[in-house]
Amino acid sequence: MVLLTSGTVATLLIPLTCVCTFSIFLAGYALQQHSVRKIQDAIRPYDVVSTIPEEFSHDNTRETITDPETGELVTINKGNFAYVQLLSEPNPSDICSSILFFKKLIDGESEIQDRLFMYPAEWDMIASSDPNINAALSMLQTASKKYEFWLLPISMNLVTEQGYSLTDSKLLRLGEIQFMRYDSVLYLRSPGLLLDAKELDKMLLSRPLPLKYDINRLESYRNEAWIGMPLLAHQEARLPPVYLISVNTMRNRVEARTHIPNVVLRGFGDLAAGPTYKRTSGIDPAYVFFEWNEDGYTTKQEDNPYYQQWRKEQSEVCKEVDFELY
C-alpha cells in the first residue's frame, strides 16, 4: 500500500483542477457562441415571407425621353422602385414626419408609386402611457390608406430575446426580405421634409443604379453616383440619411447591396441634404433631413428656413399630437 502525503495529493489535484476549469470555460464559450449564432440568424431572415404583392414585373432597362421643360433628350431608369421610411422607436414626431413625407409624394405627383413604412410588429400590440404615441400610431393606420403606403410590421422577437436593443439598422436587416420584389428601394431618414417629389425621383431614375452585381456591367460594382456602404446592423444603430438598397434573392439566402449617394456630383448628391447645407445655386434640395439631439429629440434650428415649414406641415397631418415635447 502506497501512502500519499498531502503534498502529493495537492500536486495531483492541480492538473485535475485545470482540466475541470478548462471544461467549464469551453462549455461557457459554446453557450455564448450559440447565443451569438442565434442573434446572427435573427438578422438573416431567409425564411420570412414577403408581404409585398407579387404582381410586379422586373424591367431594368433604360429609356430615352424628351424632357418637357427643356426639350432635351434624357435617359431614365425603368423598373420597380420604392421609397421606404422606417422607425425602431415610436416617436410621435418622427411617425408624423413620415406620414407627411408620403402625403407630399402624392401631392408632388411622384413617379415612384410604391411607398413603404417599416416598423417593429410589437407596435401593434402596445398601449402606451403617452397619449401622443397612441394618437400617432392610430393616425399611422389611417394615413396608410389615405396616402397609399404599405405598412410593414417586422417581428423583432429574436433580437429582444437575446437582450439586444432595437435599432433602425437591425430593423432594416430583419426587414430587407420585404424588398425582394423591387429592383431598388431608397431609404430616407425621418424626420425630414420633402420639398420636390419630382426632383427626388431623379435619385432613382436619372443615373444608372448598382442593382445586382454583374461582372459584365460596370455600374453594378463601380458606380459613379452610388458608393457601396455595407449595412453593419450589429455595430451601427443608425442608418445613413440616404440609403439605396437592392435585394437579390439567391438559392439559400438573401443578398442586400447597400449604397450611399456620391455627394460630390453636382445636381445629384445634394438632392437630399442636411439642414445646414447651402446650395451655391440657391436652389432648394428635394429632401431635407433633420438631426436629433443627445436626448433623441429633433434639434431645433430656428435659423433654418425648412424647420418651421416642416413643423407647420407636420402639425397639419397630425392634429391630435402635441409636438411641444418633441
Side-chain angles (χ1 to χ4, degrees):
M1 183 174 66
V2 179
L3 296 178
L4 299 178
T5 65
S6 59
T8 303
V9 172
T11 302
L12 293 175
L13 286 178
I14 290 175
L16 180 61
T17 302
C18 292
V19 170
C20 292
T21 302
F22 184 66
S23 299
I24 293 173
F25 167 77
L26 288 178
Y29 178 77
L31 182 60
Q32 180 192 50
Q33 291 303 303
H34 175 72
S35 297
V36 170
R37 285 192 297 271
K38 196 169 182 181
I39 187 60
Q40 288 175 337
D41 290 339
I43 61 174
R44 297 190 185 95
Y46 303 145
D47 301 326
V48 179
V49 178
S50 174
T51 59
I52 303 295
E54 298 184 4
E55 57 271 18
F56 297 113
S57 61
H58 291 262
D59 181 2
N60 295 325
T61 60
R62 288 167 62 79
E63 178 182 18
T64 301
I65 64 172
T66 301
D67 190 316
E69 296 182 2
T70 65
E72 300 178 353
L73 291 178
V74 295
T75 301
I76 63 171
N77 295 323
K78 293 178 63 180
N80 299 314
F81 308 120
Y83 289 121
V84 64
Q85 295 216 323
L86 60 86
L87 295 171
S88 56
E89 297 293 335
N91 182 299
S93 179
D94 293 349
I95 291 173
C96 292
S97 186
S98 292
I99 292 174
L100 175 61
F101 171 71
F102 296 126
K103 174 184 182 297
K104 292 178 75 71
L105 282 175
I106 291 182
D107 293 345
E109 299 181 347
S110 169
E111 296 178 47
I112 310 301
Q113 296 299 306
D114 279 65
R115 299 167 285 273
L116 317 171
F117 182 79
M118 185 179 294
Y119 64 98
E122 291 72 17
W123 285 13
D124 293 335
M125 297 175 286
I126 68 171
S128 174
S129 58
D130 186 340
N132 286 308
I133 292 180
N134 294 329
L137 292 178
S138 177
M139 282 183 280
L140 182 64
Q141 297 289 333
T142 304
S144 68
K145 300 179 179 63
K146 184 176 181 179
Y147 303 125
E148 302 174 2
F149 59 92
W150 292 99
L151 293 177
L152 299 180
I154 306 299
S155 174
M156 304 292 284
N157 285 339
L158 293 178
V159 173
T160 56
E161 286 175 358
Q162 297 298 315
Y164 290 84
S165 61
L166 299 184
T167 63
D168 289 354
S169 57
K170 291 189 182 74
L171 178 60
L172 178 59
R173 175 63 59 139
L174 282 166
E176 63 190 16
I177 188 70
Q178 301 292 339
F179 305 150
M180 62 186 295
R181 308 205 185 280
Y182 296 101
D183 297 306
S184 288
V185 176
L186 186 64
Y187 161 81
L188 295 155
R189 179 186 292 170
S190 181
L193 177 66
L194 176 61
L195 298 169
D196 192 325
K198 291 287 189 181
E199 284 295 307
L200 184 64
D201 287 348
K202 291 181 179 180
M203 297 201 79
L204 287 171
L205 301 179
S206 66
R207 292 176 177 269
L209 298 169
L211 304 174
K212 184 177 181 179
Y213 176 81
D214 184 348
I215 189 66
N216 298 314
R217 190 170 63 85
L218 182 65
E219 290 87 355
S220 72
Y221 56 90
R222 191 179 299 165
N223 197 290
E224 180 187 28
W226 294 100
I227 303 170
M229 176 172 283
L231 173 60
L232 303 176
H234 60 294
Q235 294 180 11
E236 301 291 340
R238 298 175 66 187
L239 297 168
V242 183
Y243 214 24
L244 181 73
I245 307 114
S246 297
V247 176
N248 307 305
T249 305
M250 308 181 79
R251 187 173 67 176
N252 61 347
R253 66 188 180 93
V254 169
E255 176 194 58
R257 307 189 67 213
T258 45
H259 301 77
I260 59 173
N262 184 354
V263 297
V264 302
L265 289 183
R266 181 181 296 273
F268 175 81
D270 51 4
L271 283 172
T276 59
Y277 182 84
K278 304 295 183 183
R279 266 193 173 183
T280 55
S281 63
I283 301 175
D284 290 333
Y287 183 81
V288 177
F289 56 88
F290 300 103
E291 298 291 349
W292 298 279
N293 60 23
E294 58 186 13
D295 297 322
Y297 301 118
T298 307
T299 301
K300 290 187 177 181
Q301 298 165 18
E302 303 299 341
D303 59 339
N304 186 309
Y306 308 118
Y307 181 84
Q308 295 299 337
Q309 179 183 348
W310 168 69
R311 275 303 193 197
K312 178 178 180 295
E313 297 187 33
Q314 182 192 42
S315 299
E316 291 173 354
V317 297
C318 289
K319 296 180 180 179
E320 299 178 22
V321 174
D322 180 4
F323 293 104
E324 289 298 321
L325 299 176
Y326 309 101

